[in-house]
Amino acid sequence: MQGKVRIGVMGAAGRMGQMLIRAVGEAEAATLTGVTERPGHAWIGRDLGEAMGGPARGVTVSDDPLEVFAGADAVIDFTTPQATLANAALAAQARCVHVIGTTGFTDKEIAALEPAQRHSVQVRAGNMSLGVNLLTLLTRKVAQALGEDFDIEIVEMHHRHKVDAPSGTALMLGEAAAAGRGVAFADVADRGRDGQTGARRRGDIGLAALRGGDVVGEHDVIFAADGERIVLRHLATDRMIFARGAVRAALWGQGRKPGAYDMIDVLGMRD
Ligand SMILES: NC(=O)C1=CN([C@@H]2O[C@H](COP(=O)(O)OP(=O)(O)OC[C@H]3O[C@@H](n4cnc5c(N)ncnc54)[C@H](O)[C@@H]3O)[C@@H](O)[C@H]2O)C=CC1
Ligand SMILES: O=C(O)C1=N[C@H](C(=O)O)C[C@H](O)C1
């Protein structure tokens, strides 16, 4: 029998980092070989299990990502755009699968992720759940079927700690709706209205972000016409859906050709 896939987790103390550690532990085919936190974090140098308030696990929290890449077949990264950009170069160097869940990249930062895709398998998605990825396919189909008599608005709500807006998921849904209409999302995206905005432009895709409490992640894609409205909705109530998706991507990436992939590839839903 082949050995287990060695997985590293970046940002171990984060909301998602802790879920990812649990999800790697649940996966029979995987073993956790290393974790990082940002330099200066209180967990650095401590045993991961003890830092999480449990028994020792024999994995020390490191602030050196290269060390974790060197000992892993796949690294899962839900941190910050800056950290993920640096990690992409290390993934290329180590020929390691890099699963990126981080959101909030600028277009320039997304372009800066590309060179690493020549040498490493890079799986990136603003949402790693099965439900949301299925929703992107539905959104594309509905947008294609309905045309511009239906105004498309995407509304998302997340917990009070979220630092980027609109959410990565909202952007995925916006891209899907634009693709269904055969237009470039950048040309039609209306990201946040305030003041004398003027009437809604036909064909625009509007995005609105709400923040509050402990909301894990909620997304509505609204198709609004005269006299009727269709709402496609995804409600996340447990971050483990994202973590399990990320571990699935890390395992799926083994032995693949270097390149850029997303969760539609991982889930085998590309048509
Ligand atoms: N794609 C998906 O399915 C999902 C994506 N996300 C995204 O994941 C990211 C993280 O979200 P949360 O866990 O809620 O945030 P968080 O702030 O709780 O966790 C981020 C962690 O990364 C650590 N970190 C920052 N810089 C680092 C560095 N240089 N090296 C190592 N660790 C570093 C932080 O100290 C923190 O512990 C966000 O961009 C969020 O939008 C969140 C949930 C699902
Ligand atoms: O920051 C979060 O929490 C989430 N971020 C992702 C996003 O930006 O869409 C995915 C999920 O909605 C939770």
Side-chain angles (χ1 to χ4, degrees), residues 103 126-127 158-159 162 164 166-170 216-217 219 239 242:
T103 61
N127 193 305
H158 284 85
H159 54 94
K162 186 161 177 63
D164 57 307
S167 68
T169 310
V216 172
H219 294 86
R239 289 188 175 84
F242 313 128

Side-chain angles (χ1 to χ4, degrees), residues 11 14-16 36-38 78 83 101 103 125-128 162 242:
R15 277 175 291 277
M16 279 307 300
T36 64
E37 251 304 334
R38 64 177 158 71
F78 286 59
T103 61
N127 193 305
M128 303 233 165
K162 186 161 177 63
F242 313 128

